[in-house]
């Protein structure tokens, strides 16, 4: 592989005009497609096969035209202070709004609060429910405009009016902190390279890669039913890995220049060595993201595949466009150590990050002073047990809050207080109780019962006896009289654990009724659907973890030609993920530093969070493992002792890996400013996870474990060594080349 990538790097360097033209053309094509595509909606959490989905399907069959999965809007009216909603002027404004809402396009039904008596006990708050014939994603702009216009007319009549439900989808906003993350990345790159040109290359290529990936997602959003958060998450991951991958190749290029090689040769060797690590690091990320498909949740699968596609683009750009741009940059990208003052002291040949070699004199610059990576590695090698225990205990302490993890899916109560959905949620909670924001729909299929009406009455009576029930509406039968709908309002909020317990209690009672009467009882509605999705995610976590870690473990055995090194990498990853989940629980569930993070409403952690963190963080964690430990293996296979190989690996790679981690943390942290609670939580969780994994696991625990294991760290059974393919990540095959892209025994010159 190293030889192939070496030739690819040289080719891209020579044919830079052609390579640049291809990527610019792809960016323009994706941009044109995105500009002409309709905006993406918000994906549904529904899962085929769940009880809630089966109930929706049953309603569609038995109640034709009822649009069971159609969008709904709850328009909430609050009377001015000192008045009642039933006062003449207020009542007229409400009734005018109801009439206007009924005239809207795609509307199936509108309730009149004065007829349905949906007025709070104190008489100040009322609501009307608007049902549509299509889902929220399919609702056209005219219907949404009519809904908002009717609400505005009521506001003009003196009422406070807010709109909840899924008819108006809040568009996620990432906020200005996203730009701050990129700015931090730029500063880190300038400090690392000591050159504006060298620092600009990773940023430029990452932005081009993300532009292609996100524009393609936007262009295909409606065709593939991709949600608005899909492109945001793809941008988050693509930007982080795109900068990191380019950073490693540019760093290696400068190191090869410091070894005295010509620029084309240096570009080829940089792609052949660091590029090999980029390919395998990218593969681990792709495996983790595509592996989300095993969860069998369409929304999650699409998010994972879309983000994986962006990562693939980032890898390809790093392997081709970076050497092409290095050709354009020419002498403006200087050898490593040339900007010595910006890098903490002049270092010439043999400087940190220098090219391959036997590592003699590792850790010393031209002045003989060891760099920081060398000093830290020597400290760890001298005291490996103490460093290991401190790192494990520290991560264990950070992981403790994860033992109190409560999972759920966000509802309108998790929206920012600036949105009308959140204000409608709060008004309903104030006037009717939190359960009104998430009523349960109990569907009774009495087709197999001797007396459908008696069976439905028994269901209603059984539900009324359960704890946590506020009201049970009269049953609504279909025309055939064999199926009934019953609306149940709990006394707890939709995302509360008490509501989840009530759903299970109703289903349990329904099982007893089925045994007695033959009538089947199922629970649905958005709240029940969210509960079913959460349980599906929880059940899939361990199988997904086993699949992804297992595949990556096999891949890393091929890369490192060791059994214990991949095992140590996987265990370290589990530590960092648990610690990051602990931090997420502390902030988003317990409320620690909630104000600083912009968390307006604490509650259960999004049920998608653990499995998504496992997928993304594992891939990113393996990036640092591959980049750092391949340097150590390179030194080890060239004859260094295990302890010295650890020091050499840190001398060459610690500064660049640290810079890459800081960049990735900055990019992820930038998404904490998002107005979408899911994006905010994922941005925070990934930023914390990268911090723990890069600076505690990879920089402390990994060298400590390798120092304790010694020669055993690189042990591989002979039979396994014989059957494993030799991918040559260390670039050993490049040592046989003469600097012109040919073997020592080749005589024909390579045309430049």
């Amino acid at each position: 592989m190293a030889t192939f990538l070496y030739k690819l790097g040289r080719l891209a360097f020579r044919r830079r005009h052609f390579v640049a033209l291809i990527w610019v053309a792809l960016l323009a094509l994706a941009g044109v497609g995105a500009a002409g595509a309709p905006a993406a909606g918000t994906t549904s959490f529904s899962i085929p096969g769940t009880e809630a989905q089966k109930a929706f399907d049953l309603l569609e069959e038995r109640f034709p035209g009822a649009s069971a999965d159609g969008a709904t809007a709850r328009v909430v009216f609050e009377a001015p202070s000192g008045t009642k909603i039933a006062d003449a002027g207020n009542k007229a404004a409400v009734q005018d709004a109801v009439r206007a809402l009924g005239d809207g396009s795609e509307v199936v039904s509108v309730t009149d609060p004065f007829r349905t008596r949906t007025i709070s006990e104190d008489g100040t708050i009322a609501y009307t429910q608007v049902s549509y014939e299509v889902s929220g994603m399919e609702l056209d702009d005219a219907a949404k405009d009519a809904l908002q216009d009717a609400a505005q007319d009521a506001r003009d009549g003196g009422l406070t009016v807010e709109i909840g439900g899924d008819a108006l989808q809040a568009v996620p906003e990432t906020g200005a902190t996203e730009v701050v993350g990129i700015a931090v990345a730029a500063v880190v790159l300038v400090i690392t390279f000591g050159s504006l040109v060298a620092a600009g290359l990773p940023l430029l290529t990452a932005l081009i890669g993300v532009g292609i990936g996100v524009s393609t997602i936007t262009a295909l959003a409606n065709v593939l039913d991709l949600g608005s958060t899909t492109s945001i998450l793809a941008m988050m991951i693509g930007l982080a890995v795109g900068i990191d991958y380019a950073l490693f190749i540019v760093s290696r290029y400068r190191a090869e220049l410091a070894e005295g090689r010509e620029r084309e040769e240096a570009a080829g060797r940089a792609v052949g060595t660091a590029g090999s690590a980029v390919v395998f690091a990218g593969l681990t990320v792709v495996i983790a993201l595509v592996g989300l498909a095993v969860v069998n949740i369409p929304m999650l699968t699409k998010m994972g595949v879309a983000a994986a596609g962006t990562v693939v683009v980032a890898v390809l750009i790093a392997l081709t466009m970076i050497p092409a741009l290095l050709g354009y940059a020419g002498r403006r990208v200087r050898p490593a150590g040339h900007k010595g003052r910006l890098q903490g002291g002049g270092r010439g040949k043999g400087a940190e990050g220098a090219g391959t070699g036997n590592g003699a004199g590792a850790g010393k610059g031209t002045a003989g002073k060891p760099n920081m990576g060398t000093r830290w590695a020597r400290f760890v090698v001298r005291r490996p047990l103490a460093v290991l225990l401190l790192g494990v205990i520290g991560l264990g302490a950070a992981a403790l809050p994860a033992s109190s993890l409560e999972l759920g899916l966000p509802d309108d109560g998790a929206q920012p207080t600036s949105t009308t959905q959140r204000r409608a949620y709060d008004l309903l909670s104030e006037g009717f109780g939190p359960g009104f924001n998430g009523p349960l729909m109990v569907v009774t299929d009495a087709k197999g019962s001797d007396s459908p009406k008696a069976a439905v009455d028994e269901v209603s009576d059984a539900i009324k006896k359960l704890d946590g029930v506020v009201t049970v509406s009269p049953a609504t039968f279909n025309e055939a009289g064999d199926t009934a709908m019953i609306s149940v309002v709990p006394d707890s909020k939709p995302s509360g654990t008490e509501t989840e317990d009530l759903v299970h209690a109703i289903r349990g009672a329904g099982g007893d009724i089925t045994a007695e009467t033959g009538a089947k009882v199922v629970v649905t509605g958005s709240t029940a659907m969210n509960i079913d999705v959460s349980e599906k995610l929880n059940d899939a976590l361990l199988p997904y973890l086993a699949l992804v870690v297992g595949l990556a473990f096999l891949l890393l055995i091929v890369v490192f030609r060791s059994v214990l090194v991949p095992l140590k990498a996987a265990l370290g990853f589990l530590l960092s993920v648990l610690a990051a989940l602990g931090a997420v629980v502390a902030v988003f569930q317990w409320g620690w530093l909630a104000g600083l993070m912009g968390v307006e409403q604490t509650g259960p952690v999004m049920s998608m969070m653990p499995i998504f963190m496992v997928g993304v963080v594992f891939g990113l964690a393996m990036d640092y493992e591959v980049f750092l430990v391949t340097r150590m293996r390179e030194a080890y296979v060239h004859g260094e002792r295990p302890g010295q190989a650890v020091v050499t690996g840190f001398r060459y790679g610690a500064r660049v890996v640290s810079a890459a981690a800081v960049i990735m943390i900055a990019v992820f942290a930038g998404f904490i400013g998002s107005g979408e609670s899911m994006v905010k939580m994922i941005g925070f969780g990934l930023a914390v996870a990268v911090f723990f994994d890069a600076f505690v696991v990879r920089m402390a625990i990994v060298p400590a474990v390798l120092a304790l294991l010694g020669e055993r760290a690189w042990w591989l059974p002979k039979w396994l060594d014989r059957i494993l393919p030799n991918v040559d990540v260390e670039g050993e095959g490049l040592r046989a080349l003469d600097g012109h892209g040919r073997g020592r025994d080749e005589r024909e010159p390579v045309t430049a």
Side-chain angles (χ1 to χ4, degrees), residues 569-627:
L571 294 176
F573 147 76
L574 291 176
L575 272 176
S576 58
V577 164
L578 287 174
L581 276 177
V584 169
V585 170
V587 173
F588 291 88
Q589 187 175 310
W590 292 357
W592 294 5
L593 303 178
L596 181 63
M597 297 296 168
V599 179
E600 298 179 359
Q601 180 70 39
T602 60
V605 172
M606 182 181 59
S607 54
M608 194 192 309
M609 193 68 189
I611 202 163
F612 193 82
M613 281 187 65
V614 166
V616 176
V617 175
F618 183 78
L620 301 180
M622 294 306 102
D623 281 2
Y624 302 120
E625 182 76 14
V626 169
F627 288 128

Side-chain angles (χ1 to χ4, degrees), residues 362-364 370 373-383 644 647:
K364 294 185 179 181
T374 301
R375 295 197 299 272
W376 170 250
R378 287 175 176 171
F379 171 80
V380 175
V381 169
R382 285 196 303 269
R383 299 174 179 83
Q644 183 58 36
V647 176

Side-chain angles (χ1 to χ4, degrees), residues 206-576:
L207 290 173
I208 291 174
V210 167
I212 292 173
V214 172
S215 296
T216 302
I217 291 170
T218 303
L220 299 175
N222 262 25
V223 177
L224 301 180
D225 190 24
L226 302 176
S228 53
T229 54
T230 302
S231 59
I232 294 177
L233 296 173
M235 174 173 29
M236 183 191 303
I237 296 169
L239 191 60
V241 300
I243 294 175
D244 278 6
Y245 293 164
L247 166 64
F248 281 101
I249 291 180
V250 173
S251 298
R252 190 64 181 242
Y253 171 77
R254 297 177 69 240
E256 296 294 336
L257 290 180
E259 292 286 343
R261 293 188 172 90
E262 295 296 328
R263 293 187 177 274
E264 182 180 328
E265 174 69 9
R269 288 182 177 268
V271 175
T273 52
S276 297
V278 165
V279 168
F280 282 98
L283 272 176
T284 59
V285 179
V286 169
I287 287 173
L289 291 171
V290 174
L292 291 169
V294 304
V295 183
N296 197 26
I297 296 180
M299 180 200 66
L300 198 58
T301 299
K302 292 171 185 176
M303 288 171 60
V305 172
T310 307
V311 172
V312 170
V313 172
V315 171
L316 293 176
I317 282 186
L319 298 178
T320 57
M321 194 169 187
I322 281 292
L325 292 179
L326 289 172
Y328 283 118
R331 297 185 179 277
R332 282 168 293 195
V333 176
R334 302 181 181 183
H338 194 89
K339 292 287 183 180
R341 288 189 178 89
L342 288 178
Q343 299 184 16
R347 288 190 287 275
K349 183 176 177 178
E352 173 189 12
T356 59
N358 61 8
K364 294 185 179 181
T366 55
K369 180 181 178 181
N371 62 38
M372 185 176 295
T374 301
R375 295 197 299 272
W376 170 250
R378 287 175 176 171
F379 171 80
V380 175
V381 169
R382 285 196 303 269
R383 299 174 179 83
L385 187 59
V387 172
L388 176 62
L389 291 176
L390 186 61
V392 171
I393 292 172
L395 290 179
L400 284 178
S403 61
S404 301
L405 178 66
E406 295 178 6
L407 298 176
L409 285 174
D411 52 31
D412 284 346
Q415 295 274 6
T417 53
S418 58
T419 64
T420 187
Q421 290 93 336
R422 171 61 185 276
R423 292 195 292 265
Y425 180 98
D426 292 340
L427 280 176
L428 283 173
S429 296
E430 177 187 342
F432 303 94
F436 267 79
N437 286 292
L440 306 175
M441 181 65 69
V442 180
V443 183
T444 304
D445 180 4
K447 197 170 186 178
S449 175
D450 295 334
S451 176
K453 187 176 186 309
V456 172
D457 289 341
E458 188 172 344
V459 171
S460 296
D461 292 339
I463 295 173
K464 290 175 182 177
K465 295 176 183 177
L466 296 175
D467 294 334
V469 174
V470 175
T471 60
V472 178
S473 70
T476 302
F477 283 86
N478 64 343
E479 289 185 5
D482 59 7
T483 307
M485 295 185 297
I486 303 171
S487 180
V488 179
V489 176
D491 64 3
S492 55
K493 62 183 181 180
S495 60
T497 55
E498 300 88 349
T499 304
E500 182 178 351
D501 293 339
L502 177 59
V503 169
H504 291 306
I506 294 174
R507 287 172 175 170
D512 296 336
I513 293 172
T514 301
E516 296 174 7
T517 67
K520 297 178 181 178
V521 180
V522 287
V523 185
T524 188
S526 59
T527 301
M529 181 65 76
N530 287 351
I531 291 171
D532 287 350
V533 171
S534 297
E535 292 179 352
K536 179 76 172 178
L537 288 165
N538 294 341
D539 293 341
L541 180 58
L542 288 180
Y544 169 72
L545 186 62
L547 174 68
V548 171
V549 175
L551 288 176
F553 179 78
L554 296 176
L555 181 65
L556 292 178
I557 287 179
V558 175
V559 174
F560 295 127
R561 307 193 76 79
S562 163
V563 174
L564 296 180
V565 170
L567 180 62
K568 170 263 308 168
L571 294 176
F573 147 76
L574 291 176
L575 272 176
S576 58

